[in-house]
Amino acid sequence: MNSYIKNLLSQKVAGYVHDEIKNISKYELFNMGESFIAPSKKIKQGLSEFDPKKLSAYLDPTYKEIRQIIAKKLNVDLKNILLSVGADEAIGIIPRAFSEPGSNSVFAVPTFYRIVEANIMFKINVHLVGLEEKNKFKYDKKFIDKFIQEINNKKARTAWICNPNNPTGNVLTQKQIKQILDNISSESILIIDEVFFDFFDPTGKNSAVNLVKKYKNLIVIRSLSKSYSLAGIRLGFVVADEHLIENINHIKPVFNINALSEEVAKIALGDRSYISQVAKKTKLIRKKLISEIGKMKNYKIGGNSETNVVILKHVSKDIYEELKKRFVLTADFRKSLGLEDLGYVRITVQDEKKNRKLLSALEQID
């Protein structure tokens, strides 16, 4: 075991993947943030026409075709796009591309645990800026000022923030993103995880991607895992200035995306109406679910979610364990950074039938 793994294990970040659960098929799953809506119907037809002979050859190592599709969709240049194995690979590589062991990185918390974990593994000093429960974990002025101050005071090489936030679903405005970038050093790189963004804004007009051409110290991470309902193909991408992309490319595996994943992604991205339908349907069912939970007196929702995930706690009971007893599995955020000992779990919005099962279990606990 080398010193990097030892460092990670010594500062283990609480996650929510349930390795200890046996017979997981017995549970109703509300834990992984996956979309309840099936992938684009065009994928099945497209794959029926896929030539299996393509599997015998290596792909173009630049992945030019799929990158061109993504670049056109986002209105950026080809040189601004880099593919990754889901968002996870990008999160794991970026610290190694831009930071040194012993350098500083700032994080808005609560957040996706893998972001902090990836930096700890590379022996980067972690500095947390917390969102306040009393303000429903909003990205307010007080937080933005504190986040900027911490980046500057620590001379942070990187700063990380999720938009929308994972797990709260709260949204950071483009104006706030500009404020951060305008008030930190150009030597500090702002990384925005937009994995859940399409649930909030399928048009992309409010995305930080639109700021990449102006700000040379901005990186945006996106994925097809959530809103496109394609977690199984493991395809994400990074959008950034070409010099940042070049840096990441130096340490990225050459053939990190396989032929089937590429084919599915091309078909999915070509279905222009799909993502807007997903966003609309998810919003309707999320609002209905939140409204029903709001009628129960002993529950508290911890954010103003604009995505398919919501954090929730019971005022006096351990909701994670209580739901687990009733074979409902949620994402365990009870020990997560920024939410320590507050009792929150993250639930993923499902279809109405499954949501009724969740509501029934919550009523039993209440």
Side-chain angles (χ1 to χ4, degrees), residues 167-189:
T168 69
N170 286 340
V171 171
L172 187 70
T173 68
Q174 202 172 89
K175 181 179 179 181
Q176 289 173 314
I177 295 168
K178 290 178 182 178
Q179 183 183 351
I180 294 168
L181 288 163
D182 286 337
N183 287 280
I184 63 174
S185 166
S186 61
E187 297 300 309
S188 295
I189 300 170

Side-chain angles (χ1 to χ4, degrees), residues 36 285 288 350-357 359:
F36 67 88
I285 295 183
K288 184 174 181 180
Q350 300 288 1
D351 62 38
E352 295 198 56
K353 182 179 179 181
K354 284 190 176 181
N355 287 343
R356 283 196 294 271
K357 292 180 181 180
L359 291 169

Side-chain angles (χ1 to χ4, degrees), residues 18-133:
H18 307 280
D19 295 331
E20 82 285 0
I21 300 292
K22 296 179 181 179
N23 300 319
I24 199 166
S25 61
K26 293 182 178 181
Y27 290 80
E28 294 293 341
L29 302 180
F30 289 81
N31 59 326
M32 292 301 289
E34 301 151 329
S35 176
F36 67 88
I37 300 170
S40 168
K41 292 179 181 179
K42 293 184 178 181
I43 293 171
K44 186 176 182 179
Q45 176 62 34
L47 287 181
S48 71
E49 300 169 0
F50 180 75
D51 183 0
K53 290 181 180 179
K54 291 182 179 181
L55 300 177
S56 65
Y58 288 102
L59 295 176
D60 166 17
T62 69
Y63 298 103
K64 184 177 180 180
E65 186 179 359
I66 183 65
R67 287 172 54 233
Q68 283 179 326
I69 292 170
I70 294 169
K72 183 177 180 180
K73 179 178 176 61
L74 299 179
N75 193 30
V76 296
D77 295 329
L78 179 66
K79 61 191 176 184
N80 298 128
I81 302 292
L82 176 142
L83 299 188
S84 64
V85 181
D88 278 335
E89 184 180 42
I91 289 166
I93 287 177
I94 287 169
R96 293 187 284 128
F98 300 106
S99 298
E100 298 284 346
S103 62
N104 295 319
S105 190
V106 174
F107 305 83
V109 293
T111 191
F112 178 39
Y113 77 99
R114 279 282 295 121
I115 291 173
V116 180
E117 190 176 71
N119 283 267
I120 289 174
M121 181 178 286
F122 198 52
K123 300 183 179 180
I124 295 166
N125 298 320
V126 169
H127 304 278
L128 308 178
V129 180
L131 296 153
E132 295 184 347
E133 183 185 24

Side-chain angles (χ1 to χ4, degrees), residues 94 99 104-108 115 119 127 147-148 150-152 156-162 180 184 187-193 217-219:
I94 287 169
S99 298
N104 295 319
S105 190
V106 174
F107 305 83
I115 291 173
N119 283 267
H127 304 278
F147 192 63
I148 292 168
E150 189 73 357
I151 294 168
N152 291 333
R157 180 59 175 141
T158 59
W160 299 71
I161 194 165
C162 294
I180 294 168
I184 63 174
E187 297 300 309
S188 295
I189 300 170
L190 179 65
I191 302 117
I192 302 180
D193 178 337
N217 59 332
L218 172 63
I219 295 174

Side-chain angles (χ1 to χ4, degrees), residues 6 172 268 273 318 352:
K6 288 179 181 177
L172 187 70
S273 64
D318 186 333
E352 295 198 56

Side-chain angles (χ1 to χ4, degrees), residues 181-214:
L181 288 163
D182 286 337
N183 287 280
I184 63 174
S185 166
S186 61
E187 297 300 309
S188 295
I189 300 170
L190 179 65
I191 302 117
I192 302 180
D193 178 337
E194 285 193 351
V195 165
F196 287 88
F197 196 83
D198 284 327
F199 287 116
F200 161 61
D201 175 20
T203 70
K205 66 180 182 180
N206 297 299
S207 171
V209 165
N210 301 308
L211 304 178
V212 162
K213 291 179 181 179
K214 179 178 179 181

Side-chain angles (χ1 to χ4, degrees), residues 271-318:
D271 189 347
R272 296 184 180 182
S273 64
Y274 174 80
I275 202 66
S276 59
Q277 293 169 1
V278 167
K280 183 178 180 180
K281 188 172 183 179
T282 301
K283 182 178 181 179
L284 287 171
I285 295 183
R286 180 189 70 239
K287 284 189 171 183
K288 184 174 181 180
L289 178 62
I290 290 173
S291 175
E292 290 299 315
I293 294 172
K295 296 174 184 177
M296 303 179 201
K297 63 180 180 179
N298 289 321
Y299 292 103
K300 180 177 180 179
I301 291 175
N304 297 309
S305 180
E306 298 284 355
T307 71
N308 68 327
V309 295
V310 177
I311 60 169
L312 176 71
K313 74 175 184 178
H314 192 280
V315 296
S316 61
K317 297 178 182 179
D318 186 333

